[in-house]
Amino acid sequence: MTILRTMRNFSSMNIAASILLFVAAIAAAIIANSPVAPVYQEFLLHELHLQIGDFNLLSHGGENLRMIEFINDGLMTIFFLLVGLEIKRELLVGELSSFRKAALPFIAACGGMLLPVLVFMSICPPGSEGGQGLAIPMATDIAFSLGVLSLLGSRVPLSLKIFLTAFAVVDDIGGILVIAIFYSSHVSYGYILVAVLLYILLYFIGKRGATNKIFFLVIGVVIWYLFLQSGIHSTISGVILAFVIPAKPRLDVGKYIEHIRHTIAGFPVMESGSIVLTNEQIAKLKEVESASDRVISPLQSFEDNLHGAVNYLILPLFAFVNAGVVFSGGGELVGDVGIAVAAGLLFGKFAGIYFFTWLAIKIKLTPMPPGMTWTNLSGIALLGGIGFTVSLFIANLSFGANFPILLNQAKFGVLSGTILSGLLGYIVLWIVLPARRRK
């Protein structure tokens, strides 16, 4: 019941976040093709300063970060920190915590990463114009795909939600590895060495029971700056930071409950009609607050605190600055890159997820989860083609400002592939799922 309640709460949040993300993307496309497009472009290229003397934290290689770079390389590090926290939780206690749980979503995710790349390569081979974008259709957007799935409410078996979440998390791991390996260049090992020492410091401080989130964030900002200067993409610093944040609370739940009961039993009685607490009462309440902080692990606390900021601020901002597709003629909009990305998301993701899952079950490597059928699996496989956030992110890394036409095509491919996958996935599931399920 607890898992079911958690998934319901998570689903309602994902619906709102997905709508906001979609609205931000549509707004970006409209503004990019309107008379105020120059203002939009000026906003994207506006330089930022966070300076003390001659030192500017928001700079790279002596150049000030522009707004689009600050969002993509700075704020998106917080998104990847949250992704890292979710991955760590899934590996420790979630759907990736054992071979039995992880086998099927891992296999599905492998197919969902391999087949889109092959589809992309069939249209834009390596070495051709646009060939460097082959990783764009690999990713599945967890929030967006779960948001679409959540529109079907209680008709969706819990096993399907868990399966989609689990293989999307594995997809994220694949996307992170791709970014770390293929989108880093001219590595400055001095910066990396200092960052590694800081990670080690955080790890051992965490092992000693430190739970101060501000401390971890301050050191995290320092590490982010070191990565920004190092040549390894700065968002990777957020993922690694997640893995040194302690997952174990300082206070056991049983001891916490016992402590709270003892504190409440000894709480000074208030005088009738009094609205002002005594110093002794305030001290007791602070004792309860301190104990509550210690019973929640830093990992869970960070994850809970970051969800709102990421889903309702950072991702909509990211969508707004990156989804501005310019409809300036068919030749610049619907090219090989756009077709390859859209086909990879729509056909590659579907074929990879469905076929690899079918194969794993047929050869009895893993059983089919209860509630899953071959027909509703087809709908989930289609939802896997909702790439959006990470796909747009990799598109920017692949083409950036040096290839604006190819980047525009890639954006169009991501948006069209995501919309078609989401729409078809929803329609298939709406048709094949029972009209109503017991709550």
Side-chain angles (χ1 to χ4, degrees):
M1 289 300 291
T2 303
I3 295 175
L4 188 58
R5 195 179 304 114
T6 301
M7 289 301 294
R8 282 174 182 163
N9 293 338
F10 191 54
S11 295
S12 61
M13 182 180 69
N14 275 317
I15 292 173
S18 299
I19 292 171
L20 186 58
L21 201 60
F22 184 72
V23 168
I26 294 299
I30 292 172
I31 292 172
N33 294 277
S34 73
V36 297
V39 178
Y40 175 71
Q41 292 299 326
E42 186 179 340
F43 168 74
L44 299 184
L45 300 178
H46 181 73
E47 290 189 356
L48 299 176
H49 306 264
L50 187 57
Q51 204 157 336
I52 301 174
D54 293 330
F55 172 74
N56 181 18
L57 179 66
L58 304 180
S59 64
H60 168 58
E63 298 290 331
N64 297 324
L65 292 183
R66 296 171 298 178
M67 180 62 73
I68 189 169
E69 294 166 339
F70 170 68
I71 292 170
N72 289 348
D73 300 344
L75 293 184
M76 284 298 284
T77 303
I78 301 174
F79 164 74
F80 279 98
L81 169 60
L82 179 59
V83 169
L85 292 169
E86 290 173 343
I87 291 171
K88 183 175 180 178
R89 172 174 47 78
E90 291 294 327
L91 290 171
L92 290 174
V93 297
E95 294 307 309
L96 304 178
S97 60
S98 68
F99 176 80
R100 183 181 62 82
K101 290 182 176 181
L104 190 60
F106 177 80
I107 292 167
C110 288
M113 289 186 283
L114 178 61
L115 266 293
V117 170
L118 295 178
V119 169
F120 187 98
M121 288 172 61
S122 69
I123 300 171
C124 294
S128 67
E129 185 181 48
Q132 68 268 36
L134 57 85
I136 297 171
M138 282 178 57
T140 295
D141 190 303
I142 297 180
F144 219 147
S145 56
L146 282 176
V148 174
L149 187 64
S150 299
L151 294 174
L152 294 157
S154 60
R155 296 175 62 191
V156 183
L158 180 61
S159 60
L160 288 187
K161 295 179 183 179
I162 293 173
F163 177 68
L164 175 58
T165 303
F167 82 66
V169 168
V170 178
D171 260 11
D172 281 340
I173 297 173
I176 289 163
L177 290 174
V178 166
I179 293 167
I181 297 169
F182 297 105
Y183 294 100
S184 301
S185 59
H186 309 295
V187 178
S188 299
Y189 292 100
Y191 287 110
I192 293 301
L193 178 60
V194 177
V196 168
L197 292 175
L198 288 176
Y199 279 129
I200 293 172
L201 173 68
L202 287 177
Y203 173 78
F204 282 107
I205 288 176
K207 293 288 282 186
R208 295 291 297 271
T211 58
N212 190 302
K213 291 183 290 186
I214 300 298
F215 173 75
F216 280 96
L217 284 177
V218 169
I219 301 300
V221 170
V222 175
I223 293 173
W224 169 80
Y225 179 80
L226 293 170
F227 266 75
L228 188 65
Q229 309 307 315
S230 72
I232 296 178
H233 201 274
S234 56
T235 52
I236 300 300
S237 66
V239 179
I240 302 174
L241 178 63
F243 281 83
V244 299
I245 290 175
K248 186 177 180 181
R250 289 181 62 187
L251 188 61
D252 178 74
V253 174
K255 292 181 179 178
Y256 167 74
I257 294 172
E258 183 182 335
H259 176 78
I260 293 300
R261 284 174 177 166
H262 181 265
T263 303
I264 291 174
F267 191 81
V269 179
M270 294 184 67
E271 294 181 12
S272 178
S274 175
I275 60 171
V276 178
L277 297 174
T278 66
N279 290 336
E280 189 179 359
Q281 288 171 331
I282 292 173
K284 287 288 184 182
L285 291 174
K286 285 186 176 179
E287 197 177 321
V288 172
E289 183 182 17
S290 175
S292 300
D293 286 338
R294 286 181 289 148
V295 81
I296 303 173
S297 71
L299 183 146
Q300 284 188 292
S301 183
F302 264 117
E303 193 176 349
D304 182 62
N305 293 154
L306 290 178
H307 264 298
V310 168
N311 287 327
Y312 299 115
L313 176 63
I314 293 173
L315 289 183
L317 262 178
F318 172 81
F320 182 72
V321 303
N322 288 283
V325 178
V326 179
F327 301 101
S328 56
E332 293 188 359
L333 184 64
V334 186
D336 286 348
V337 171
I339 295 170
V341 171
L345 287 172
L346 182 58
F347 302 114
K349 293 293 283 188
F350 171 78
I353 293 167
Y354 191 92
F355 176 71
F356 274 55
T357 303
W358 175 86
L359 187 62
I361 293 171
K362 284 298 181 183
I363 64 175
K364 300 188 184 306
L365 186 61
T366 176
M368 179 178 279
M372 179 185 285
T373 65
W374 296 121
T375 51
N376 62 33
L377 172 62
S378 63
I380 295 297
L382 281 166
L383 293 186
I386 299 177
F388 203 73
T389 305
V390 179
S391 292
L392 282 175
F393 190 81
I394 295 177
N396 273 283
L397 295 180
S398 300
F399 302 117
N402 296 325
F403 303 96
I405 294 177
L406 297 182
L407 178 58
N408 200 53
Q409 291 178 8
K411 289 179 180 180
F412 180 72
V414 170
L415 293 177
S416 56
T418 291
I419 292 170
L420 287 172
S421 296
L423 186 61
L424 289 175
Y426 176 83
I427 291 171
V428 168
L429 289 171
W430 185 80
I431 293 171
V432 304
L433 289 176
R436 187 179 177 186
R437 294 182 60 86
R438 286 188 180 182
K439 296 185 180 181

